[in-house]
């Protein structure tokens, strides 16, 4: 079984998919992490604005996901890059690298290979539309820009930091615009996807809602 979960940034899709995969004892394929590995390598080699070089990096990418207590660690070769791929710099860089056609073409095979072994939740932006168009279930996981900004605000408050709420809403809207309007594999809501709007749901309710969709469809 393959469950494709697509949706915009910052809706909490990754954490919910991770938790649901754990509860069902399924595999999780976080495709954003694959793009982040390409961006990190390209950034470290100083070629992150060169689509041909980024494509070569994607083609040669030796990525591994290793389950551990906290979820999943990500390795490039023998190097644990779990933290390095989540830094602010890598996030800025991946937003430039992920739209490159050369990169996307190379990563298709890797994603299909990694996603096909067992029951897997595959999460990203173009999973239902491009990577696994025949997925057993397609979910479009979303939340309003306002709700996503509120979640971000709470994360900052929990760390004792302050951020300007209106500024966060603006950033989220800008990022949405880029993801929905890019030329290569834009974020789209597939016609056969079930929309899961989590604007009014907390984390546990979001997990329950996704679990229910999977259970109803797959009988697990
Ligand atoms: O989900 P994330 O924030 O880790 O994704 C990192 C970047 O990769 C983000 O710019 C969106 C992009 N991405 C993509 O274009 N296609 C995917 N299937 C997954 C992520």
């Amino acid at each position: 079984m393959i469950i494709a979960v697509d949706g915009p940034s910052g809706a909490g899709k990754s954490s919910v998919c991770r938790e649901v995969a754990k509860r069902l004892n399924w595999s999780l394929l976080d495709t954003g992490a694959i793009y982040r590995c390409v961006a990190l390598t390209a950034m470290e080699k100083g070629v992150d604005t060169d689509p041909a070089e980024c494509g070569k990096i994607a083609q040669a990418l030796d990525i591994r996901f290793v389950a551990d207590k906290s979820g999943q660690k990500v390795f490039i070769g023998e190097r644990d890059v779990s933290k390095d791929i989540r830094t602010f710099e890598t996030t800025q860089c991946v937003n430039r690298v992920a739209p490159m056609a050369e990169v996307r073409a190379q990563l298709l095979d890797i994603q299909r290979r990694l996603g096909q072994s067992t029951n897997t939740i595959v999460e990203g932006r173009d999973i239902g539309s491009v990577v696994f168009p025949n997925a057993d279930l397609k979910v479009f996981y979303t939340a309003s820009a306002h709700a996503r900004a509120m979640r971000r605000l709470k994360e900052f408050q929990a760390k004792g930091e302050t951020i300007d709420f209106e500024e966060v809403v603006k950033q989220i809207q800008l990022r949405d615009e880029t993801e929905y309007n890019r030329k290569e594999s834009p974020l789209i809501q597939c016609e056969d996807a079930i929309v899961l709007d989590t604007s009014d749901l907390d984390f546990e309710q979001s997990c329950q809602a996704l679990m229910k969709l999977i259970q109803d469809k797959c009988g697990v």
Side-chain angles (χ1 to χ4, degrees), residues 60-121:
L61 190 68
D62 176 17
I63 184 174
R64 272 184 307 134
F65 290 92
V66 178
D68 85 335
K69 286 191 297 295
S70 60
Q72 242 177 7
K73 282 197 182 297
V74 185
F75 285 79
I76 301 176
E78 293 308 311
R79 174 180 165 202
D80 180 352
V81 293
S82 313
K83 288 210 175 84
D84 295 342
I85 60 168
R86 308 277 169 204
T87 62
F88 177 75
E89 287 74 25
T90 314
T91 302
Q92 297 286 94
C93 183
V94 74
N95 291 337
R96 288 194 302 275
V97 168
M100 294 175 180
E102 292 80 350
V103 170
R104 304 201 76 85
Q106 295 298 340
L107 292 188
L108 257 187
D109 278 353
I110 298 184
Q111 293 174 85
R112 288 183 178 149
R113 182 165 41 78
L114 289 171
Q116 230 143 22
S117 52
T118 50
N119 289 336
T120 307
I121 298 177

Side-chain angles (χ1 to χ4, degrees), residues 31-32 35-36 86 94-95 98 104 111 124-127 175 179 182:
T31 60
Y35 284 92
R36 285 171 181 273
R86 308 277 169 204
V94 74
N95 291 337
R104 304 201 76 85
Q111 293 174 85
R125 305 294 188 287
D126 59 345
I127 307 307
R175 211 162 149 185
E179 291 194 341
R182 70 184 180 199

Side-chain angles (χ1 to χ4, degrees), residues 100-182:
M100 294 175 180
E102 292 80 350
V103 170
R104 304 201 76 85
Q106 295 298 340
L107 292 188
L108 257 187
D109 278 353
I110 298 184
Q111 293 174 85
R112 288 183 178 149
R113 182 165 41 78
L114 289 171
Q116 230 143 22
S117 52
T118 50
N119 289 336
T120 307
I121 298 177
V122 188
E123 63 114 338
R125 305 294 188 287
D126 59 345
I127 307 307
S129 55
V130 176
V131 185
F132 289 110
N134 297 322
D136 297 279
L137 169 67
K138 297 181 188 177
V139 178
F140 191 80
Y141 186 109
T142 189
S144 67
H146 186 273
R148 284 182 275 155
M150 279 305 286
R151 287 171 194 172
R152 203 148 165 68
L153 185 73
K154 282 185 190 149
E155 279 168 22
F156 273 86
Q157 282 171 343
K159 288 192 274 181
E161 294 170 24
T162 45
I163 47 166
D164 179 38
F165 182 73
E166 291 309 321
E167 184 54 34
V168 182
V169 175
K170 251 196 253 162
Q171 279 174 16
I172 286 174
Q173 285 167 336
L174 199 72
R175 211 162 149 185
D176 279 0
E177 239 176 75
T178 316
E179 291 194 341
Y180 281 105
N181 296 321
R182 70 184 180 199

